Amino acid sequence: MLPAERRQFILNELYKSKAVTVNDLAQQLDVTTMTIRRDLQHLEEGGLVEKSHGGAVLVESSVKDATYRNRKLVHIDEKRKMAAAALPMIESSMSIFLDAGTTNFELAELMAKQRWENLTVVTNDLAIAQVLTPVLGIYVILLGGHIDVESNSTCGVLATNMVQTMHFDICFFGTQAVTPDWRIMTANAEKIDVKRACLHASDKVVLLADHSKFKKHKLYYILDIWEMDVLISDYMATAEEQSLFDEHHVTFIHV
């Protein structure tokens, strides 16, 4: 296994359990503990993990989001599957909102390969704006406001004010946390009003969230998952959970 593949494996394990040990990783990857320590040192130097005694922890907490760079490196296959499921919902002449996030970035990448006519895309994600701006037939509006370095996005009162003057056919949301009682949370208070404004401005709201986002907490409440129209995820819902989705008229698309 190449060093880059090992480090990707380590990041995936960290997103599952938040902490890893050198001995467990060495056994799983069939390499020496010294090799694992070098990998962890490399990841720490890149700001992706924080080494602890005998292992490492993910740089994330209830009061701090994982960095955009961190999130872009994990669960790539799942994100691409969710993006592929969301793509057919978009039609030319629509106005849509793409929330900042690495899953919606994958959706933007797919959109950039399609042909469009008079599609308006509003986003607060700097990378998404860069991907879609050169695409023929797409008119891109980037929300103004404070630039949050951790999420590579704009937020705050100026972004919220812009959204309040708009209407979207579909809003594609992302999140870093869905609690066990189905609340969508964030570590950044400046994102709350932007997301709520997008919800109220949209005819249809779609949440794209991979399995690692579920049964987690962040500091601030945004809204309930029941306010979504569609959930796209690789999360394995139980029969009871599926009944809850049906009861609240949330279409669950499993990928």
Side-chain angles (χ1 to χ4, degrees):
M1 183 180 288
L2 296 173
E5 293 176 312
R6 284 199 312 273
R7 292 160 191 165
Q8 179 69 62
F9 178 88
I10 291 169
L11 284 172
N12 284 337
E13 289 300 300
L14 278 166
Y15 263 82
K16 290 178 187 176
S17 58
K18 307 304 175 196
V20 293
T21 68
V22 170
N23 289 337
D24 284 346
L25 289 172
Q27 185 174 11
Q28 288 175 281
L29 294 169
D30 194 24
V31 295
T32 65
T33 56
M34 184 60 69
T35 296
I36 297 298
R37 288 193 177 92
R38 284 197 296 266
D39 287 335
L40 293 178
Q41 180 66 33
H42 179 88
L43 292 171
E44 184 176 53
E45 289 172 357
L48 301 174
V49 308
E50 180 179 335
K51 288 198 298 182
S52 61
H53 180 68
V57 295
L58 190 67
V59 181
E60 181 182 16
S61 71
S62 65
V63 296
K64 181 180 179 181
D65 284 338
T67 65
Y68 196 91
R69 182 185 175 192
N70 250 10
R71 291 180 283 123
K72 204 168 186 306
L73 294 172
V74 296
H75 306 305
I76 297 171
D77 289 342
E78 293 91 335
K79 290 172 182 177
R80 288 174 178 166
K81 288 178 181 177
M82 289 186 287
L87 184 63
M89 299 180 185
I90 305 172
E91 300 176 4
S92 290
S93 299
M94 278 186 169
S95 60
I96 69 169
F97 179 79
L98 292 184
D99 190 17
T102 55
T103 304
N104 276 340
F105 177 83
E106 296 296 337
L107 177 55
E109 291 270 43
L110 292 181
M111 291 171 62
K113 300 173 184 177
Q114 305 291 312
R115 299 184 66 175
W116 305 96
E117 292 183 12
N118 301 317
L119 175 65
T120 299
V121 177
V122 181
T123 186
N124 60 335
D125 188 299
L126 305 183
I128 288 175
Q130 287 182 314
V131 166
L132 294 181
T133 295
V135 180
L136 189 64
I138 296 183
Y139 177 64
V140 177
I141 299 173
L142 177 66
L143 295 184
H146 167 69
I147 296 178
D148 179 63
V149 177
E150 294 293 322
S151 62
N152 199 43
S153 67
T154 59
C155 55
V157 64
L158 295 178
T160 302
N161 288 344
M162 283 187 69
V163 171
Q164 289 172 341
T165 68
M166 297 175 175
H167 168 267
F168 309 122
D169 294 297
I170 308 179
C171 169
F172 294 94
F173 267 157
T175 184
Q176 287 202 41
V178 179
T179 66
D181 57 348
W182 306 105
R183 293 178 297 158
I184 296 172
M185 309 288 284
T186 181
N188 186 338
E190 288 192 292
K191 294 180 181 180
I192 298 171
D193 288 340
V194 178
K195 286 182 182 281
R196 289 178 179 172
C198 289
L199 173 75
H200 294 304
S202 302
D203 291 339
K204 184 176 185 177
V205 185
V206 180
L207 176 66
L208 293 85
D210 70 69
H211 66 276
S212 70
K213 310 298 174 59
F214 289 81
K215 303 187 187 305
K216 292 175 60 175
H217 290 84
K218 293 292 181 180
L219 184 60
Y220 300 106
Y221 166 80
I222 304 174
L223 44 84
D224 291 336
I225 201 171
W226 312 126
E227 296 182 73
M228 303 295 102
D229 297 295
V230 180
L231 167 63
I232 302 176
S233 181
D234 65 320
Y235 175 74
M236 295 297 295
T238 65
E240 182 179 355
E241 289 169 338
Q242 183 60 62
S243 294
L244 278 174
F245 295 142
D246 295 339
E247 179 184 339
H248 288 87
H249 307 291
V250 177
T251 301
F252 178 43
I253 300 175
H254 183 265
V255 298

